Amino acid sequence: MLTSDAAPPSGGLYDADSRRLLTLMAHLMRWSTRLRVQVLHHSVDPAEERAYTMHKAAATDQLSLLSPGYARHAEHAQEAAAELWRLDSQDAAGPYPADPRAYVRRQYGAWLGERNRDDDPLSPGDAWGV
């Protein structure tokens, strides 16, 4: 099983139980649809795309942590982490991280540190459309 040596940050998605995580997954599906519509109109907001990709990677990482015996969840978490790294590495030079999930955890932890916890999709408000 693929695991990360980096501890997940406290707060947000990493404090979510499976029921709250499913709520977020439904929200991510709507967010994904919104991004696809933007692609069709050739007006994708890079910040929104990155935020979506980071939240998807953090959510799949947490899902994997909640189901340690299920290898498919770990594989999906690794794939989502690699997707975030590829998106971020378009502007940054550097080698592929040895542990992409640790990269996701650092990025999500930084995101939590920059924002009020009310900004998190697990505490949805009008801005999240949930």
Side-chain angles (χ1 to χ4, degrees):
M1 174 177 21
L2 302 169
T3 60
S4 175
D5 291 334
S10 60
L13 300 177
Y14 288 97
D15 285 348
D17 61 21
S18 56
R19 180 178 256 172
R20 294 185 74 201
L21 201 55
L22 286 173
T23 300
L24 175 72
M25 292 299 200
H27 169 67
L28 285 172
M29 290 174 66
R30 288 190 297 277
W31 199 351
S32 173
T33 301
R34 188 170 70 229
L35 285 173
R36 288 179 183 171
V37 169
Q38 288 179 6
V39 167
L40 289 173
H41 293 284
H42 306 288
S43 64
V44 175
D45 178 358
E48 186 173 359
E49 180 182 16
R50 186 192 186 278
Y52 164 76
T53 305
M54 181 192 57
H55 279 87
K56 181 176 79 170
T60 56
D61 186 47
Q62 172 62 346
L63 182 60
S64 175
L65 293 172
L66 289 172
S67 54
Y70 193 58
R72 287 296 286 160
H73 287 175
E75 291 169 14
H76 289 297
Q78 195 78 358
E79 290 166 9
E83 183 180 351
L84 177 63
W85 171 254
R86 282 190 299 272
L87 184 65
D88 285 353
S89 68
Q90 290 175 1
D91 297 325
Y96 185 78
D99 187 353
R101 289 175 67 184
Y103 177 75
V104 168
R105 292 170 183 180
R106 285 191 305 273
Q107 295 301 307
Y108 187 76
W111 180 85
L112 278 175
E114 293 170 2
R115 289 169 172 72
N116 183 324
R117 296 284 168 109
D118 292 339
D119 240 2
D120 198 285
L122 286 174
S123 302
D126 293 336
W128 289 95
V130 176

